[in-house]
Amino acid sequence: AFRTFSWNEPNNKPQFGDVVMTYEQQTLESARLISRKKVAALIGFSERTLDRKTREGTFPPRYVIGRSVNYRFAEVIEWIEQR
């Protein structure tokens, strides 16, 4: 699973297997986009189901760049972990 850390919190220490990133890396990672096709494959939905869930507000917002429909990777992972 993905976890982020704040070194200012004394009890928040990385565990074996965790991905530790600097603040700059966390910012870039949260801004990274993933295509609708890849998101659908990742979570096992069809692209149409993904579009419907986005419209209903039960899935993170999408970001349209030209003809490309994308989602923020960090938001998709957070949605998966909350299920």
Side-chain angles (χ1 to χ4, degrees), residues 10-41:
N11 296 327
N12 192 13
K13 296 180 183 173
Q15 299 173 4
F16 180 77
D18 287 337
V19 178
V20 180
M21 297 181 280
T22 65
Y23 175 77
E24 290 81 11
Q25 289 171 320
Q26 290 177 23
T27 303
L28 288 173
E29 184 68 21
S30 67
R32 193 172 90 177
L33 298 177
I34 183 171
S35 72
R36 175 177 57 182
K37 186 174 188 174
K38 289 181 182 178
V39 171

Side-chain angles (χ1 to χ4, degrees), residues 28-65:
L28 288 173
E29 184 68 21
S30 67
R32 193 172 90 177
L33 298 177
I34 183 171
S35 72
R36 175 177 57 182
K37 186 174 188 174
K38 289 181 182 178
V39 171
L42 177 68
I43 60 177
F45 289 166
S46 70
E47 291 181 43
R48 290 182 68 164
T49 299
L50 192 58
D51 291 341
R52 181 176 46 80
K53 289 191 168 293
T54 301
R55 276 193 310 275
E56 292 171 350
T58 59
F59 196 75
R62 63 188 194 170
Y63 299 86
V64 180
I65 302 171

